[in-house]
Amino acid sequence: MRKKIVTGLFLLAAAAMAAGCGKKEAEQTALDDKTLPEIIDRIYEEKDPGLAVATAEVDLTDADALKYSTGLDSPEGIEAAAVSEAMISAQAYSMVLVRTEDSKNTEETARAMQEGIDPAKWICVQADDMEVSGYGDVALLIMVSSELSESVTAEEITEAFQTVCGGKLAFEL
């Protein structure tokens, strides 16, 4: 009888460990099966920016578009990039997602985005509210004018990204 109880407890513990590992694996790959535009759509399901926005993939072979949209000087180590911006250029709003080829480089890439992006890239407006974060192989840069704070803030978009990532971010810069 005692042997059956010990065996049962062992099997129960093994099942609990397997379930825990399965959950961790699911969290680690929460974004893997989604394209960057799909992730942007999920972020907007969590937090509508209250603006008319357009989302597009960034052509990694176009150095000017890459720099303008992401702040990056080179596509080296980048698998894909997408940007969602206000359709009215007088509204300073830009959300950028970059997928790295190796998740070990995501924070470094995010830092380069933060340092390279021009928050005054629009003709007559400037973003003064910016946050950069990441999860797995995806880096997020959100910048918005504080004049739009009644509709959307960088913090709200970052929180929506965190929710889409399963409630946890790998880093926030």
Side-chain angles (χ1 to χ4, degrees):
M1 181 68 156
R2 186 176 264 180
K3 196 175 197 180
K4 287 182 181 182
I5 291 173
V6 170
T7 302
L9 289 174
F10 175 77
L11 291 174
L12 184 61
M17 286 176 57
C21 291
K23 183 175 186 215
K24 185 174 183 182
E25 180 67 24
E27 288 173 359
Q28 289 176 343
T29 61
L31 306 178
D32 287 351
D33 63 341
K34 293 178 179 51
T35 67
L36 296 178
E38 289 172 337
I39 296 169
I40 290 171
D41 288 345
R42 283 282 301 118
I43 291 169
Y44 288 154
E45 287 174 17
E46 295 296 325
K47 172 55 183 146
D48 182 346
L51 308 168
V53 295
T55 300
E57 294 193 38
V58 177
D59 180 358
L60 299 180
T61 64
D62 183 339
D64 292 333
L66 181 68
K67 179 68 174 176
Y68 179 82
S69 296
T70 69
L72 297 172
D73 293 318
S74 166
E76 186 177 335
I78 304 303
E79 185 176 305
V83 61
S84 181
E85 295 191 332
M87 293 174 69
I88 299 172
S89 63
Q91 295 175 319
Y93 175 88
S94 181
M95 176 176 33
V96 183
L97 292 181
V98 169
R99 176 165 271 141
T100 60
E101 292 175 352
D102 186 341
S103 62
K104 294 176 186 171
N105 300 326
T106 305
E107 187 169 350
E108 178 184 337
T109 298
R111 202 169 299 283
M113 292 167 62
Q114 182 180 40
E115 293 170 3
I117 198 70
D118 180 6
K121 67 182 187 173
W122 301 274
I123 295 171
C124 57
V125 293
Q126 180 171 336
D128 57 352
D129 180 14
M130 180 177 7
E131 293 198 11
V132 181
S133 57
Y135 178 83
D137 62 355
V138 178
L140 165 78
L141 180 145
I142 175 66
M143 60 182 184
V144 61
S145 169
S146 59
E147 292 178 5
L148 300 172
S149 64
E150 289 185 22
S151 298
V152 64
T153 65
E155 181 180 4
E156 291 170 331
I157 294 297
T158 300
E159 288 171 355
F161 178 58
Q162 182 174 345
T163 299
V164 170
C165 295
K168 186 176 180 185
L169 294 174
F171 63 87
E172 291 184 71
L173 303 178

